[in-house]
Amino acid sequence: MASTHQPGPQRVQPARKASLNLPLDKISFIILKAREFDAKEGDSDPDEGSNAIDDGQTDILTDKEDDPVREELLGAIRTLNEDERMRLVALAWLGRGTYSKVEWREAIATARSEHSRRAAEYLLSLPLLGDYLEDGLAMFDEGIVDEADAREGPGSETGPLDYMQDKPLRH
């Protein structure tokens, strides 16, 4: 006899909320190192032979292959497991505006298919990596500002010198 099983009401799965699942201490370190790395410029004089003291130590701001900041940044990214590296790529894309938070899972899947082998090198090729990562964190209501830090900016004081204890009196 054939079964006359009637399907019951379909249970609709609620959309899962996007979850960052990245260690904030490591991401904060990567953001800070990325900003140091971004401050460097291309080697404008690769054959320079002058004394560093005479040049005012300007070569320290030159991006070179053996740059310790570059190596530290690559190392920090490579210490993340593969899933975290893919999430880091996706986070940079969110911060850059390539994807929205609603598309978080799609961004992770795309990162996995396009950058699973050389994610660290790819991330270092992004010129504003530190800013992109911080903007991406902000989409998850996260940031690298410590709770004890006071945020500064317009509106944090009532006048241009109100933050000074010994400010001149206004007349």
Side-chain angles (χ1 to χ4, degrees):
M1 186 163 185
S3 173
T4 58
H5 181 310
Q6 295 283 330
Q10 294 287 333
R11 289 177 55 187
V12 177
Q13 294 288 333
R16 289 191 299 180
K17 190 175 179 183
S19 175
L20 185 60
N21 285 342
L22 284 169
L24 287 180
D25 58 334
K26 292 180 182 179
I27 302 310
S28 296
F29 179 79
I30 289 170
I31 289 170
L32 294 173
K33 286 298 166 184
R35 288 197 171 133
E36 280 183 50
F37 184 71
D38 286 345
K40 296 182 181 267
E41 60 184 46
D43 195 354
S44 60
D45 187 15
D47 297 324
E48 65 89 16
S50 65
N51 185 337
I53 302 286
D54 294 340
D55 290 343
Q57 300 287 348
T58 57
D59 276 351
I60 201 158
L61 294 175
T62 303
D63 182 22
K64 297 185 179 189
E65 282 298 314
D66 62 345
D67 176 22
V69 174
R70 180 182 189 277
E71 293 305 314
E72 213 172 354
L73 182 54
L74 282 171
I77 294 169
R78 289 175 179 155
T79 61
L80 299 172
N81 66 42
E82 183 178 353
D83 184 58
E84 290 170 339
R85 283 193 306 271
M86 297 306 101
R87 287 174 175 273
L88 190 66
V89 170
L91 186 66
W93 288 343
L94 255 67
R96 184 173 69 181
T98 306
Y99 289 90
S100 70
K101 187 177 173 186
V102 174
E103 300 167 307
W104 176 239
R105 294 190 192 295
E106 180 185 346
I108 295 170
T110 303
R112 189 166 278 116
S113 70
E114 293 181 9
H115 298 291
S116 64
R117 291 185 183 243
R118 299 184 53 86
E121 290 77 5
Y122 168 72
L123 287 166
L124 261 64
S125 74
L126 299 176
L128 298 172
L129 176 61
D131 292 339
Y132 293 154
L133 292 174
E134 189 167 15
D135 290 348
L137 280 178
M139 291 182 177
F140 287 93
D141 295 322
E142 296 287 352
I144 62 170
V145 175
D146 189 314
E147 306 246 341
D149 291 340
R151 294 183 183 255
E152 296 180 10
S156 62
E157 57 224 16
T158 56
L161 300 177
D162 283 353
Y163 64 92
M164 295 177 57
Q165 290 179 344
D166 297 329
K167 63 185 175 194
L169 296 174
R170 293 186 188 174
H171 298 288

